[in-house]
Amino acid sequence: MIPLPTVYHGPVINPRSLTAYDALPNCLLAVSPAGDIAWLVDDVQGPMVQEVLRQKGCVHAEVITLKVGEFLIPGFVDTHTHAPQLPNLGIGGQYELLDWLEKCTFPMERKFADVAFAERTYRSVVRRAIDCGTTTCCYYGTLHLEATKKLADILNEKGQRAFVGKCNMDRNCPASYVEPSAAQSLADTHALIAHIRAHPAPPNILSSAARDPAPLVQPILTPRFAISCTPDLLAALGTLAARDPALRIQTHISENRKEVAFTKELFPASASYAGVYDDFGLLRGNTILAHGVHLEEAELALIRARGAGISHCPTSNFNLSSGVAPVGKYLDRGIKVGLGTDVSGGFSPSILTVIQHASIAAKVTSFAPSPSPSADRLESEPGQAGFAGKQLPIATLFYLATMGGAQVCCMDDRIGSFAVGKAFDALLVNVGESAGNPALWCGLDEAGEGEGANSNSKEVLDGMLERFLFCGDDRNIERVFVQGRFIGGKGFMQ
């Protein structure tokens, strides 16, 4: 007997572009036993449900009908966070970046030399990230090999899609928290890559398609930032990257003005901060650059030419007084942009918080008129709306949290939106009264009574999405799915 898909019936909200999304009040969405999306049919009501199931050969499939106030969206993609820093959430906001690293961050990360401590901490980190709706996450570990292996193992066990890197940092760090040499850093990096890639794919995510899906957990090269890496280490990492084109790269760039100045002092032969990474072969289509608050025009052109992506981390940029990244300008240049929590520079593990702060950051940039108001529009991608110097629409914020992040991770063929053949990485959101979030008012209760209860329309869904993005939290995330597997959310029994 051929296994049948699981079919969801109800509201589905799906990103389409930076300026548009589909709000489908009565959608049938089928998930194959392998966890991929088998088919979607819009506007299916009443007796048409059984007719569509018959046409698809799924009359006996399990149908899950969404309740009033519930809807499905693709899972959030966190393109930049530091797994060992979650215990520091909420402290250190009085410092700027370099002092914050010295006084708060490095002392905490040093504790991960204790693998037992690392395991306890990382189990909590991963659980919290999943329950906040993050289905894919780019994690920085510490410089410790064994602790970072443990993080990868926990991620495989819990079922979150992730990229995991061991920090490379052989200079300009405390004597008690620095790698002894570039050679040792490279050796440990090779060992972590081998460990992660040796992990077998769980049976429940083996695809029925001709190609195998990407493993849930993948390695990623992680030079912490140029300041913490000697030229010998960057050169060795560049050689490793050249031999392994599929290997993603993550690092920081232009977060803080003092950091930018120090980087230029350390690498006087490079034309810019971005030029440092480019000179060592570390700037390419699968490079994720965190922050980019103070990028120069020439750097934007270089990043665009190389196809690299930027992880926008507004919560952290506000909290550490780094500045406001002009993300609208980057979008107009055609640069890939996703969102990052940057825990613990950012004080929340939730992408919802980042969405809210990304909206505020864009509004802040709109307060100061550009010296040349037409410049950004003139350099925009053909046919693309101008975003520079304007607030970001709901569609844009939603896209950055989902498809934007998927593009930055070079995973947009598998995740970020609902489409046939893509993985079912999804959130079942509940904005009804039963969620218990006093900050979110949608006027609907479990019985379907209340303001707008009888209007299951696109307009109602628009309002539900906007309220969720600006007032929602983990209480509104009922279920979290990765590759069709139920792995977290409020309704998850651990």
Side-chain angles (χ1 to χ4, degrees), residues 6-37:
T6 299
V7 180
Y8 294 88
H9 183 224
V12 170
I13 305 177
N14 197 23
R16 184 164 17 113
S17 71
L18 283 165
T19 56
Y21 60 85
D22 293 321
L24 311 173
N26 298 288
C27 185
L28 277 178
L29 187 154
V31 181
S32 75
D36 291 334
I37 297 172

Side-chain angles (χ1 to χ4, degrees), residues 158-402:
K158 299 299 183 186
Q160 188 183 36
R161 199 181 299 277
F163 296 91
V164 179
K166 184 204 74 64
C167 281
N168 302 109
M169 38 194 293
D170 67 339
R171 69 166 170 177
N172 292 320
C173 300
S176 59
Y177 187 59
V178 66
E179 294 178 297
S181 67
Q184 186 62 57
S185 181
L186 187 65
D188 286 350
T189 298
H190 277 291
L192 179 66
I193 292 170
H195 176 82
I196 293 174
R197 287 180 171 169
H199 195 285
N204 66 309
I205 68 161
L206 294 178
S207 176
S208 58
R211 60 180 173 78
D212 290 333
L216 279 185
V217 181
Q218 299 184 54
I220 185 168
L221 283 186
T222 309
R224 187 175 199 122
F225 57 170
I227 288 173
S228 71
C229 298
T230 59
D232 285 347
L233 179 53
L234 290 176
L237 294 174
T239 299
L240 172 56
R243 293 172 179 168
D244 194 345
L247 186 62
R248 274 74 166 180
I249 302 163
Q250 62 180 357
T251 191
H252 298 78
I253 192 169
S254 299
E255 179 178 357
N256 170 281
R257 293 193 185 278
K258 290 181 181 178
E259 166 216 5
V260 174
F262 191 20
T263 300
K264 290 182 175 181
E265 288 178 18
L266 292 172
F267 297 93
S270 295
S272 64
Y273 198 155
V276 173
Y277 296 129
D278 193 50
D279 291 344
F280 288 100
L282 295 169
L283 190 67
R284 62 189 191 185
N286 56 6
T287 297
I288 304 169
L289 301 168
H291 301 290
V293 177
H294 305 289
L295 292 170
E296 301 164 2
E297 286 295 332
E299 291 180 292
L300 296 183
L302 178 60
I303 291 168
R304 175 69 174 89
R306 297 293 183 262
I310 292 175
S311 176
H312 181 35
C313 306
T315 307
S316 174
N317 296 337
F318 284 136
N319 190 43
L320 297 182
S321 304
S322 297
V324 182
V327 167
K329 178 192 290 187
Y330 304 163
L331 294 175
D332 285 351
R333 298 296 198 274
I335 295 172
K336 298 181 296 187
V337 177
L339 300 180
T341 57
D342 191 30
V343 168
S344 65
F347 47 73
S348 170
S350 175
I351 286 291
L352 286 171
T353 302
V354 182
I355 289 169
Q356 295 150 22
H357 291 166
S359 177
I360 294 171
K363 290 176 181 177
V364 169
T365 63
S366 74
F367 297 157
S370 168
S372 177
S374 63
D376 292 323
R377 289 194 293 273
L378 289 173
E379 298 185 32
S380 299
E381 285 289 282
Q384 179 161 284
F387 295 96
K390 300 177 183 177
Q391 70 181 64
L392 295 178
I394 297 300
T396 308
L397 296 166
F398 183 42
Y399 190 90
L400 294 181
T402 52

Side-chain angles (χ1 to χ4, degrees), residues 14-15 74-75 77 402-404 406 411-412 414-418 422-423 425:
N14 197 23
V77 180
T402 52
M403 270 298 289
M411 288 286 289
D412 47 307
R414 291 292 298 153
I415 63 171
S417 66
F418 297 138
K422 281 193 171 187
D425 287 14

